[in-house]
Amino acid sequence: MHKLARLDQKYVWHPFTQMRDWAKREPIVLASGKGAVLEDVRGKKYLDANASIWTNLHGHNHPKLNAALQRQLKKVAHTSALGFANEPAALLAKRLVKVGRAVPARRNATGIAGASPSRKGLAKVFFSDDGSTALEVTLKMSYEFTRRTGRSRAPKFLSLQGAYHGDTVGAVSVGHIDLFHKAYGGLLFKSDQVMSPYCYRCPFNRAKPERTDARVTRKCNWECVGKVEAKLKRRKYAALVVEPRVQGAAGMIAHPEGWLKRVGKAVRASGAQLIADEVMTGFGRTGSMFACHKETVTPDFLCVAKGLTGGYLPMAATLTTQNVFDAFLGEYEEFKTFFHGHSYTGNQLGAAAALASLEILQGAESKKKRRALENNLRDELKTLWPLAAVGDVRQEGLVAGVELVADWRTRKAFPLKAQVGIRVCEAMARRGVLTRPIGNVIPLLPPYCTTAAQLRKMVRALREAIVEVLGGAKV
Ligand code: PMP
C-alpha cells in the first residue's frame, strides 16, 4: 500500500463514508490534475466524471485561474469582512448581481445600467463558505424577514421530497432524505415537505421513461404543482426552498419543463418567498448561467457555492433583494443587524478565483464548448438505454443521472444494501473514470473542458461497468 494511503486510513475520517469499508481497500490518492484528468500518486490517470463532486467548471490547473490566484497571492490571501471591505469581494458582488438576474439588466429610473431593476430583483450579496452555509444564511434571513414584515410569528419552510440543501443543522432541517436526516431528528427544526416532480417515479403519470418526449405531455395534469399549491394555501410559509430544474443528491432528478415557472407563480401568489438553491445547478451547469433563468424565474434568494470559484476554493454566496436587505436596516440600538458571519467571509483568494472563473464562463469559447458538450452527452447517453439494468437516463444541461433498477419493466429498485451504485463506480474507476454514486443513480457531470473523446470514454466506462456488474441488454 502507498504510504499516503496508509496515512489516510490511519488518520482521516471521510465524509459520507462507511469507514469500515474504506479500511478494506487501498484508497485512490489523487495528487495532480490537468483539464478533466486527475492523476494519483502511482501515476494512474482518471477522468473526473463528476467534476470533483460537482464543483469543477473549467478543468483542473486552469492557466487563467492559476494566474488570477497568483496575482492575488502577491497582494494578500485573506482579510476579514467583519469591519473591512476588499477589492475582489466588492467586484465579485457586483458581477454576481449582474449575472444573477433572470432578465437582461435594463436601465432603471436613475439611468444606471446594472442597478436593481426593482425592489424584488437580486441586488445584495452575502458571502459565506460553502453550500451549507449559504443555505444557513438564507434560512435565517428569510425567517427573520417573514417575522419582521408581520407575515408570520413562527415562520416555517416548505421543501421538496428528497430535498438536500447541505449538512449543517439548519440546512438538514429543510432536507428530506431520510437516510441522511433521520439520525438527527432531535436536533432539527420542523419543516414541511411536498411532492417532487420525479417523473420516473410519478404516482400519477406512468408515461414510458425511454420516450422522454412523452413524459410530461402524456396523462400529466401537473398534479405535483397542485400539491404545492394546496400546501401554500394551508399555511403562511416563510419560503419554498427548491433546487431548480434538477435535484442533485436526490438522484439527479430532472424536473419537467414548466414546473418551476408554475410553482414560482404559486409561491408569489401566496406571499411566501422563493429560495433557489443553485449550489449544484449554478454557473452554466444546466445550460444557462442559473437554472432559474431557463424559466425566467427570479427568486428572493439565490444560493451559490461549489462552482462559484470554478471548483478551486470553498466560497459561497447568498444573493437577495433590496426588500430583504431593507428589513435589516435600523438605528444601531434597534439591533436589526443580521447577526451572522464567518471568519473567512469574503475571502480575497476565493473572490479572485470566482472573478476569473466568471470571466472564462462568460466568454464565447466556453459557451460554444458547453453547448457542444451537452449535445455530445445527449448522444452518448442514448447508448445506455438498451441495458436491462438502466431504468431511467436523465439529463439537464451538463448534469446526467442514470438510475439503475432491478427490473426495468416495473421500475423495481435495487435494495441499497446490494451497493449496486458503489460496485458500478468501482468498476468505472478500474477503467479510469471517477464518479460517486447516489444510491442506485450514477451521476455524470463532466468539467466543461471535457473533450468529445473524453466524454465518450466516460460513458463507455459506465456502460461497460454496468454490464460487468449487472449484465447486458434488455430482452
Ligand atoms: N445544496 C445543494 C443543492 C447541494 O448539492 C449541496 C452539496 N452537494 C449543498 C447544498 C451543500 O453544499 P456544501 O457541501 O458545499 O456544504
Side-chain angles (χ1 to χ4, degrees), residues 80-124:
S80 170
L82 280 85
F84 308 100
N86 75 65
E87 181 183 349
L91 293 174
L92 177 60
K94 178 184 175 201
R95 191 141 187 182
L96 283 175
V97 165
K98 198 162 174 210
V99 298
R101 290 200 187 120
V103 279
R106 279 194 310 265
R107 283 185 182 274
N108 71 355
T110 64
I112 304 166
S116 177
S118 83
R119 294 181 59 74
K120 292 198 168 163
L122 298 170
K124 299 285 175 185

Side-chain angles (χ1 to χ4, degrees), residues 323-382:
N323 248 4
V324 170
F325 181 80
D326 287 352
F328 292 82
L329 299 180
E331 297 304 324
Y332 179 84
E333 62 277 15
E334 287 180 89
F335 300 119
K336 289 171 100 179
T337 306
F338 182 55
F339 290 108
H340 185 111
H342 304 281
S343 309
Y344 284 97
T345 293
N347 176 256
Q348 297 218 30
L349 270 182
L355 282 167
S357 174
L358 281 167
E359 193 65 37
I360 301 166
L361 194 66
Q362 291 192 287
E365 200 189 333
S366 172
K367 284 183 192 162
K368 205 168 113 197
K369 249 193 198 151
R370 278 181 271 145
R371 220 170 300 128
L373 194 60
E374 188 178 326
N375 290 332
N376 284 346
L377 182 60
R378 188 159 290 113
D379 288 343
E380 292 293 339
L381 288 172
K382 282 182 192 149

Side-chain angles (χ1 to χ4, degrees), residues 269-421:
S270 78
Q273 294 186 308
L274 182 66
I275 297 173
D277 175 352
E278 295 235 22
V279 168
M280 180 191 79
T281 54
F283 305 109
R285 223 350 118 187
T286 68
S288 54
M289 179 59 78
F290 293 105
C292 280
H293 293 184
K294 288 186 114 171
E295 303 203 20
T296 54
V297 166
T298 305
D300 299 277
F301 295 93
L302 180 71
C303 307
V304 298
K306 289 192 187 273
L308 171 60
T309 60
Y312 263 53
L313 287 159
M315 184 179 208
T318 296
L319 275 67
T320 191
T321 62
Q322 188 71 41
N323 248 4
V324 170
F325 181 80
D326 287 352
F328 292 82
L329 299 180
E331 297 304 324
Y332 179 84
E333 62 277 15
E334 287 180 89
F335 300 119
K336 289 171 100 179
T337 306
F338 182 55
F339 290 108
H340 185 111
H342 304 281
S343 309
Y344 284 97
T345 293
N347 176 256
Q348 297 218 30
L349 270 182
L355 282 167
S357 174
L358 281 167
E359 193 65 37
I360 301 166
L361 194 66
Q362 291 192 287
E365 200 189 333
S366 172
K367 284 183 192 162
K368 205 168 113 197
K369 249 193 198 151
R370 278 181 271 145
R371 220 170 300 128
L373 194 60
E374 188 178 326
N375 290 332
N376 284 346
L377 182 60
R378 188 159 290 113
D379 288 343
E380 292 293 339
L381 288 172
K382 282 182 192 149
T383 66
L384 299 173
W385 279 116
L387 299 180
V390 171
D392 196 17
V393 180
R394 304 185 272 268
Q395 183 188 354
E396 172 74 18
L398 289 171
V399 178
V402 177
E403 182 161 341
L404 304 171
V405 288
D407 185 337
W408 62 274
R409 287 187 185 83
T410 60
R411 306 177 196 192
K412 185 174 174 226
F414 284 111
L416 272 187
K417 67 171 187 208
Q419 299 192 21
V420 160

Side-chain angles (χ1 to χ4, degrees), residues 54 130-133 135 164-167 243 249 277 279-280 305-306:
W54 327 339
D130 51 42
S132 304
T133 54
L135 264 296
Y164 177 83
H165 298 290
D167 292 334
E243 294 165 73
D277 175 352
V279 168
M280 180 191 79
K306 289 192 187 273

Side-chain angles (χ1 to χ4, degrees), residues 58-74:
H58 317 294
H60 299 277
N61 229 325
H62 193 287
K64 286 190 178 154
L65 285 165
N66 290 3
L69 283 171
Q70 275 153 6
R71 271 195 308 275
Q72 185 58 45
L73 267 176
K74 285 190 187 135

